[in-house]
Amino acid sequence: GLMPMREEKKLNIARCSEELISDPETGLASGEEGGSSMSFLLNAAAKDEDKTIRKLALLSLVAIFRDILPEYRINESQLSADKGVKLKKEVRKLRVFERSLLQTYQRFLTILHQNVKSGLGSLQRNIDHREDRVSARSKYKCDTETLISIRGFCTLLANKSHFNFRENLLANVVPCMNSPVEQVRKQCCSCISTMLQ
């Protein structure tokens, strides 16, 4: 049934999250069976048919990236320049880690973006067809998956704005400062005002 399967997936999410936080290099690397802990979580967040599992994976990934993204910006041109060059073992290990970190982070931001776009896009279309836009404004709500994704963007922007893809984060948060959904509006305005302090 759905319940035992859900419980099993929840345990897997917990196990993968734990591995990624305690040992990010291993968590990002593919094991013998093919998938890494990171790819399991990204797939769960993007594709699982159980909404609860998708939300849990999203929340876990926000916490993981907040924890494991380095305090510096990864030089992407350096990563390209290093290809085919003989590097010291430690440097090579670091480059492999940085490359997979960038790829998985970018994929995660794409998942968040798609959630926000589909969640708020359909809402915007409904609003555009209504005359009483202002009076209706307080009544607009969006689903929790969209809210989690917005909160994810805000958390990463507030805590990791020095890291790569800062522009992507801003491009997703700034337009939502004018969202018809009060929770979204407040979240994004507070995030940006914190950044500007």
Side-chain angles (χ1 to χ4, degrees), residues 2-190:
L2 186 66
M3 279 319 282
M5 194 145 159
R6 177 182 284 177
E7 291 315 307
E8 196 182 325
K9 285 178 183 173
K10 281 182 177 176
L11 287 173
N12 272 337
I13 288 174
R15 191 181 45 74
C16 290
S17 303
E18 210 172 297
E19 180 181 53
L20 277 155
I21 283 176
S22 61
D23 184 0
E25 269 114 351
T26 308
L28 282 167
S30 295
E32 278 81 69
E33 299 87 53
S36 64
S37 289
M38 179 59 86
S39 61
F40 170 79
L41 289 175
L42 288 168
N43 286 332
K47 302 190 188 111
D48 201 279
E49 65 278 3
D50 184 345
K51 200 172 186 159
T52 304
I53 294 301
R54 286 200 308 272
K55 292 193 287 196
L56 196 58
L58 283 171
L59 288 166
S60 302
L61 283 161
V62 171
I64 289 163
F65 279 117
R66 182 181 175 170
D67 198 77
I68 70 171
L69 291 179
E71 294 304 316
Y72 59 89
R73 192 182 176 89
I74 293 173
N75 183 340
E76 293 180 71
S77 55
Q78 183 64 53
L79 286 182
S80 311
D82 283 347
K83 278 197 171 150
V85 176
K86 187 127 179 67
L87 300 167
K88 283 199 176 110
K89 194 178 171 188
E90 290 77 37
V91 178
R92 195 174 63 240
K93 201 176 154 193
L94 178 66
R95 293 289 182 263
V96 168
F97 174 67
E98 289 178 338
R99 195 173 288 121
S100 52
L101 194 56
L102 276 181
Q103 286 165 348
T104 51
Y105 186 49
Q106 191 168 24
R107 186 169 164 220
F108 179 54
L109 296 182
T110 305
I111 295 168
L112 292 182
H113 174 71
Q114 282 160 349
N115 288 348
V116 172
K117 204 171 125 186
S118 64
L120 294 179
S122 53
L123 193 70
Q124 197 56 54
R125 283 192 294 281
N126 294 342
I127 295 168
D128 291 341
H129 293 304
R130 293 171 66 159
E131 304 306 302
D132 58 338
R133 243 179 271 189
V134 178
S135 62
R137 223 180 144 122
S138 58
K139 293 197 279 284
Y140 288 113
K141 294 197 172 11
C142 60
D143 68 348
T144 45
E145 216 170 335
T146 308
L147 284 174
I148 288 171
S149 299
I150 298 264
R151 198 177 313 133
F153 274 131
C154 290
T155 301
L156 293 165
L157 188 56
N159 295 281
K160 297 292 171 180
S161 63
H162 60 272
F163 192 67
N164 304 56
F165 309 123
R166 174 194 173 129
E167 299 73 23
N168 299 40
L169 297 175
L170 282 165
N172 280 284
V173 173
V174 172
C176 292
M177 290 169 77
N178 189 29
S179 169
V181 183
E182 189 182 4
Q183 264 178 296
V184 172
R185 218 171 37 247
K186 282 186 170 161
Q187 181 104 49
C188 294
C189 288
S190 120

